[in-house]
Amino acid sequence: MALLPILSYPDPRLHTVAQAVQAVDDRIRALIADMLETMYESNGIGLAATQVNIHERLIVIDVSEERNQPMVLINPEVLWQSPERVRGDEGCLSVPGIYDGIERARAVKIQAQDGEGQLRTIEAEDLLAVCIQHEMDHLMGKVFVEYLSPLKRNRIKTKMLKAQRAER
Ligand code: QAP
Ligand code: CO
């Protein structure tokens, strides 16, 4: 197991479109373990492979209070999304310290392979549904701040670049 470095916005690699996972083999199983460890260590509720610079369609999520319900989504596809939408504050491990309101479908039905490669259908609502949509956006190269106004996005970009410069 290993902690993986997380790409920080506005790193252009966050805009890479991920490719399908071809087989759930030892390499993917090791990646899943490392991504879960990285997500828990960072106190995140979701992490997409894109964020650790692996451009394959793999997501880990745990929205439970106890942090003991890991969920692995491989090659996820949306089958249905509710017309009902909700607005809630989102954050992102790639945009630390930034939270803002984003509108999303309140519920989604998705199909994905689990950590064993088994195809499953998942119906999700509320926080889990929002988290799945947020993470699936990462696989398409989209970061949540891109839903905000250009003014807000540019302020966030400047703030992040300044913080990254201070780190070095
Ligand atoms: C996506 O985000 C999400 O700024 C997952 O300092 C977030 O795990 C979906 C985090 C909210 C739905 C609602 C962010 C940790 C974690 C930070 C995360 C931070 C430390 C974000
Ligand atoms: Co994110």
Side-chain angles (χ1 to χ4, degrees), residues 9 145-157:
Y9 186 79
V145 299
E146 292 172 62
Y147 291 106
L148 304 174
S149 69
L151 177 66
K152 277 190 179 178
R153 189 166 57 251
N154 279 318
R155 282 179 178 161
I156 291 166
K157 212 177 269 183

Side-chain angles (χ1 to χ4, degrees), residues 14 46-48 51 90-95 134-135 138 142-144:
L14 285 169
L47 183 68
Q51 294 176 274
E90 291 185 20
C92 181
L93 288 171
S94 292
V95 201
H134 175 115
E135 302 308 335
H138 277 301
K142 185 150 186 169
V143 180
F144 84 101

Side-chain angles (χ1 to χ4, degrees), residues 42-46 89-93 95-99 127 130-131 134-135:
S42 321
N43 297 313
I45 59 170
D89 265 4
E90 291 185 20
C92 181
L93 288 171
V95 201
I98 304 289
Y99 304 86
L127 182 59
V130 168
C131 195
H134 175 115
E135 302 308 335

